[in-house]
Amino acid sequence: MSSNKVRVAVRVRPFSKRGKAEMDLDTQNVVEMADNQTILHSPASTVDKPQQSSRRSQKTFAFDHCFDSSEPGSARFASQETVFSSLGKDILDNAFEGYNACIFAYGQTGSGKSYTMMGGHDSRGLIPRLCDTLFDRVADRSDPGLTHKVEVSYMEIYNEKVHDLLDPRGGKQSLKVREHNLLGPYVDGLSVLAVSSGQDIERLIVEGNKSRTVAATNMNSESSRSHAVFTVIVTQVSWPSTAGSRRTGDAELSLSAVTLN
């Protein structure tokens, strides 16, 4: 299990179509990544000014991981697989040790949150890769005294209202957030569906995304306008070896992925 309770990673995306179209207008990439440091350079137009000190010409920030995805095809390009290898595997290790885990993706509209978490047509994101690896690990466990149940839920928060993205009835009914004496806060009436494979989860993600609130912005023609929370609940049940005996105990863990605009 990783000793760090919280890890922070930053990822820079390629120029958008709009940015590429403006490359002839002296558009510059002012972000540089080296190991675990992100360096922000001032544009050349300000650095060239005599009164601008070298100390103010750049700012350096340190993170646990820095993923440079600004130039596809370059040697330093950080792919979806690179992101998963650096973040996803440790999360699953912790989860199977019985610890709840949560991934937050935060950034302005058009910064690549949904692509990193869910992926696109050409490359699968962090959540589908996590789910596939989760089922692979469950299948590799040879202990006959262990059984696993996997369930998922998917909701969005838009204009301070909670909507169930997997509601079989369709529509967008507003759900209430309540407090349980033992389990803490929960969403009353949120659908929790059992799944048996990574393909089942991907199908539900696709169906849920169809119900998400999107709108056009200057940065993205189909920008997600809501916060989304996708939760995977794994219940591990331990059974004694003696036939007919009752189960000795179970452990429930929650893996949540949150996309915040």
Side-chain angles (χ1 to χ4, degrees):
M1 182 185 71
S2 173
S3 59
N4 296 330
K5 296 181 179 179
V6 178
R7 287 194 292 172
V8 180
V10 62
R11 189 181 193 187
V12 58
R13 57 158 293 169
F15 276 110
S16 64
K17 293 181 179 179
R18 178 183 176 185
K20 291 179 180 179
E22 295 176 349
M23 289 296 286
D24 294 336
L25 302 178
D26 295 329
T27 300
Q28 305 170 39
N29 183 358
V30 297
V31 181
E32 176 188 356
M33 290 185 167
D35 298 325
N36 292 341
Q37 290 188 330
T38 296
I39 304 169
L40 302 183
H41 298 278
S42 294
S45 59
T46 59
V47 174
D48 292 340
K49 293 180 179 180
Q51 67 271 23
Q52 188 79 9
S53 67
S54 59
R55 184 170 59 88
R56 295 181 59 191
S57 65
Q58 70 178 37
K59 296 183 182 295
T60 302
F61 303 90
F63 299 92
D64 295 297
H65 299 280
C66 294
F67 302 115
D68 187 353
S69 303
S70 60
E71 298 182 23
S74 68
R76 64 177 183 272
F77 179 77
S79 64
Q80 299 279 64
E81 175 61 31
T82 301
V83 175
F84 171 72
S85 298
S86 301
L87 301 176
K89 292 183 178 179
D90 284 343
I91 288 174
L92 284 179
D93 289 341
N94 293 343
F96 277 100
E97 290 291 331
Y99 295 92
N100 292 339
C102 183
I103 309 172
F104 283 93
Y106 181 78
Q108 73 173 53
T109 180
S111 59
K113 303 180 298 296
S114 296
Y115 178 79
T116 296
M117 298 293 270
M118 297 296 185
H121 299 294
D122 57 338
S123 184
R124 302 165 76 238
L126 190 57
I127 293 177
R129 293 174 188 268
L130 275 171
C131 294
D132 278 351
T133 307
L134 166 66
F135 282 104
D136 288 342
R137 293 196 182 188
V138 169
D140 289 342
R141 293 198 163 193
S142 57
D143 188 347
L146 287 177
T147 59
H148 297 82
K149 179 176 67 173
V150 182
E151 301 167 299
V152 300
S153 65
Y154 196 13
M155 66 178 178
E156 74 168 0
I157 305 171
Y158 180 65
N159 283 345
E160 300 183 1
K161 295 182 179 180
V162 179
H163 302 139
D164 186 355
L165 296 177
L166 300 180
D167 187 351
R169 298 168 299 178
K172 286 193 174 183
Q173 303 295 325
S174 295
L175 303 181
K176 299 292 185 181
V177 178
R178 304 189 186 279
E179 184 83 17
H180 191 278
N181 291 336
L182 298 177
L183 302 179
Y186 72 99
V187 178
D188 190 16
L190 181 66
S191 301
V192 179
L193 306 181
V195 292
S196 58
S197 67
Q199 289 77 15
D200 288 348
I201 293 180
E202 285 199 59
R203 177 178 55 82
L204 292 175
I205 289 175
V206 171
E207 291 300 316
N209 287 341
K210 293 178 181 178
S211 301
R212 285 200 66 183
T213 302
V214 298
T217 68
N218 290 334
M219 296 290 292
N220 190 351
S221 61
E222 293 185 356
S223 175
S224 302
R225 305 315 303 152
S226 63
H227 305 322
V229 182
F230 186 84
T231 303
V232 180
I233 304 170
V234 182
T235 304
Q236 178 176 279
V237 181
S238 178
W239 297 87
S241 57
T242 305
S245 299
R246 300 180 63 184
R247 71 186 187 190
T248 58
D250 55 28
E252 183 176 287
L253 59 96
S254 175
L255 171 62
S256 299
V258 186
T259 303
L260 302 179
N261 286 318

